[in-house]
């Protein structure tokens, strides 16, 4: 499978961060490898929730000082089927 991910060489400013762009999907994280993981999940037929979980797992390796398996989880998920928004507060508080 050919990936739609490509490096942007036309960024008009100097940045210390690598840019990862996809032509069909959008994901965002603080690490390019985690973002690329999310895009690959989407390219393989996964949904946004699948990509988010994969990116969180990748971030626990690429940026362990900021995230991890025991960290908080906050999510708003729109279900096109139900036409509703569901929220998840995984902070350990009610």
């Amino acid at each position: 499978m050919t990936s739609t991910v490509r490096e942007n060489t036309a960024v008009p400013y100097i940045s210390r961060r690598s840019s990862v762009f996809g032509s069909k999907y959008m994901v965002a994280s603080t690490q390019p490898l985690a973002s690329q993981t999310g895009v690959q999940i989407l390219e393989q037929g996964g949904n946004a929730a699948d990509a988010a979980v994969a990116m969180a797992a990748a971030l626990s390796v690429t940026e362990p000082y900021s995230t991890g398996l025991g960290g908080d989880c906050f999510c708003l998920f729109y279900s096109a089927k139900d036409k509703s928004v569901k929220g998840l507060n995984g902070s350990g508080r009610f």
Side-chain angles (χ1 to χ4, degrees):
M1 175 181 290
T2 303
S3 177
T4 60
V5 175
R6 62 181 171 80
E7 178 119 8
N8 183 13
T9 56
V11 176
Y13 54 87
I14 297 172
S15 175
R16 286 185 260 166
R17 297 237 183 235
S18 298
S19 299
V20 178
F21 291 80
S23 60
K24 297 180 182 179
Y25 314 104
M26 183 173 72
V27 298
S29 78
T30 56
Q31 294 290 325
L33 290 174
S35 295
Q36 187 170 7
T37 298
V39 170
Q40 288 172 343
I41 293 296
L42 294 172
E43 287 176 339
Q44 294 172 9
N47 61 27
D50 297 329
V53 169
M55 289 171 57
L59 282 169
S60 70
V61 175
T62 60
E63 197 173 74
Y65 46 84
S66 296
T67 188
L69 298 177
D72 291 344
C73 171
F74 306 98
C75 176
L76 288 176
F77 187 79
Y78 175 75
S79 172
K81 179 181 176 184
D82 301 337
K83 296 188 178 180
S84 65
V85 176
K86 295 180 174 56
L88 172 66
N89 179 355
S91 67
R93 297 182 182 176
F94 295 101

